[in-house]
Amino acid sequence: MSTKGGTALSRRNYRLASDTDKPKVTGIVNEKLLSDYLHHVFPASSKQGPASAVYRKTLTFQDLGAHLEKLLAEDTVAEDGKDQIEGCLGPSTVVLDHSSGFEGLLFVDDDLLGVIGHSNFSSIRATTCVYKGKWVYEVLISSQGLMQIGWCTLNCRFNQEEGVGDTPDSYAYDGNRVRKWNVTTTNYGKSWAAGDIVSCLIDLDEGTITFCLNGQSLGVAFSNIKTGPGVAYFPAISLSFKESVAFNFGSRPLRYPVEGYLPLQSPPATDLIKANRLLGYLKTALSTSIDTQEEKIVEKESGTWHLQGEPTVLVTLAHIFNHFAPLMCKVYLVEDVLMNFLLSILEGGGSVDEHPFIHQLLDLFWLLMEDYEVNECLKQLMMSLLRAYRFSPIIPDLGFQVRS
């Protein structure tokens, strides 16, 4: 809720006034100046080439919706329509298989990505397997006790004494005892601690499995693993009583991506491009004003813009948020786009209070997003910041934690 001149203005009443009301709402801006401003905020894509002159026709708020949709339609990635990536079998949304792929008693989180052991030695695998190519997933270590993390085939049978790495076609890293397991065991890697992130890599073209700890490779753990027709590997873990971890198969950006290796769950490529493009439009709109007396467009610092400022800019922002707000309800986009953008503002130093742009952006969220959109976006943002705080490497000045 915002107050201008003593009049309460709710986002529902304000959000994109009717076509007949828009000229009144936007103030006295001549048609050419408004068109130049809108083309400045929403430039035609470079893909248009010489044909971009078509986009330079007079642009008004009545035309802006169609213009913006056309620009965003260019960002559609064909791969998003594929339900399955070559070399990977299973649901496109990868989670832990709590219905049939487990042994022992476990507590699985509501998102089916976090798990706590609740018996002597419990095991669980993911819903998706890989049979060729190079793949990676991450495990966020919540406790530093006895766990064996790695890969297994569908034929592996576990019990309360034998888990991942204790059978012929399963392979595991154990950072508690600093060992690797495949029926027999040898020393390998480094000791892990709560807050560490283990990356589990499998190269089915070369037949190797490698583990990384907080982005640092521990070296090839296993070579000449079984591959070929009928052989596919699932992410899997065995953990003792009260031990807990959280998996990231790609539903969120990987903390330590490895070149050449793909997450088991594909990122939302089209939505990522759209969200970043819309964020660019948002920054341009907030750093541009219209001088109606001089009849020109003026560049300024985005942090100096105020919610009670030019109505032309506010209506422009409402158009942007019509597309941006739904995207900000998705966890991957909140973490990859919004959180990283907010943290980048702080990189120059200073607290949040010293960066008015952050306050302006949050004010716009309250004004131009629906209640459920604001709630979901801020919930995902808080969870992402908490994960970044909890699972960032600990350095002497706690710089990563302070930043989050």
Side-chain angles (χ1 to χ4, degrees), residues 254-328:
L254 295 178
R255 186 63 52 84
Y256 301 105
V258 180
E259 185 177 358
Y261 286 78
L262 296 175
L264 276 72
Q265 182 170 326
S266 298
T270 294
D271 284 347
L272 272 172
I273 297 172
K274 285 183 178 179
N276 280 299
R277 177 177 281 208
L278 288 162
L279 185 59
Y281 295 153
L282 177 64
K283 289 188 284 187
T284 302
L286 291 177
S287 61
T288 308
S289 64
I290 300 175
D291 187 332
T292 54
Q293 292 184 339
E294 297 288 334
E295 294 193 350
K296 64 180 182 180
I297 297 169
V298 181
E299 299 286 341
K300 61 179 182 178
E301 287 291 327
S302 56
T304 63
W305 186 83
H306 295 287
L307 197 58
Q308 292 78 18
E310 303 158 84
T312 300
V313 177
L314 203 51
V315 174
T316 303
L317 293 168
H319 277 276
I320 295 172
F321 269 83
N322 255 5
H323 297 273
F324 190 64
L327 295 176
M328 290 300 100

Side-chain angles (χ1 to χ4, degrees), residues 112-148:
L112 303 183
L113 294 172
V115 62
I116 302 174
H118 211 65
S119 57
N120 183 45
F121 203 48
S122 309
S123 302
I124 192 168
R125 64 172 183 261
T127 54
T128 297
C129 62
V130 293
Y131 59 92
K132 75 173 182 178
K134 300 163 74 172
W135 304 90
V136 59
Y137 71 92
E138 291 181 342
V139 181
L140 287 66
I141 305 296
S142 300
S143 61
Q144 60 190 47
L146 178 57
M147 293 179 279
Q148 294 172 201

Side-chain angles (χ1 to χ4, degrees), residues 138 248 250-256 331-333 335-336 340:
E138 291 181 342
N248 182 11
S251 60
R252 301 186 305 277
L254 295 178
R255 186 63 52 84
Y256 301 105
V331 59
Y332 195 106
L333 302 178
E335 189 161 321
D336 190 75
N340 285 337

Side-chain angles (χ1 to χ4, degrees), residues 81-209:
K82 293 183 179 179
D83 292 330
Q84 200 65 58
I85 311 172
E86 188 177 8
C88 185
L89 290 174
S92 56
T93 300
V94 187
V95 294
L96 296 173
D97 188 352
H98 68 298
S99 58
S100 60
F102 69 94
E103 171 63 39
L105 183 60
L106 306 117
F107 289 157
V108 180
D109 289 350
D110 292 341
D111 62 4
L112 303 183
L113 294 172
V115 62
I116 302 174
H118 211 65
S119 57
N120 183 45
F121 203 48
S122 309
S123 302
I124 192 168
R125 64 172 183 261
T127 54
T128 297
C129 62
V130 293
Y131 59 92
K132 75 173 182 178
K134 300 163 74 172
W135 304 90
V136 59
Y137 71 92
E138 291 181 342
V139 181
L140 287 66
I141 305 296
S142 300
S143 61
Q144 60 190 47
L146 178 57
M147 293 179 279
Q148 294 172 201
I149 301 170
W151 303 86
C152 74
T153 66
L154 191 62
N155 295 327
C156 293
R157 294 292 178 263
F158 305 128
N159 54 47
Q160 294 289 298
E161 301 297 329
E162 294 184 332
V164 181
D166 296 325
T167 60
D169 294 328
S170 65
Y171 305 85
Y173 162 49
D174 171 2
N176 175 259
R177 292 172 288 188
V178 195
R179 304 184 74 83
K180 62 181 181 180
W181 297 79
N182 174 234
V183 182
T184 59
T185 179
T186 55
N187 293 333
Y188 173 81
K190 300 177 182 178
S191 175
W192 62 36
D196 287 344
I197 295 179
V198 176
S199 302
C200 304
L201 291 71
I202 188 167
D203 183 343
L204 290 159
D205 300 326
E206 297 295 329
T208 62
I209 289 175

Side-chain angles (χ1 to χ4, degrees), residues 17 50 75 106 170 190 192 210 233 256 274 297 299 314 337 359 363 380 382 384 390-391 396 399:
D75 297 330
L106 306 117
S170 65
K190 300 177 182 178
W192 62 36
T210 303
Y233 289 89
Y256 301 105
K274 285 183 178 179
I297 297 169
E299 299 286 341
L314 203 51
V337 178
H359 294 279
D363 283 343
Q380 297 296 352
M382 290 299 101
S384 295
R390 184 177 181 184
F391 295 105

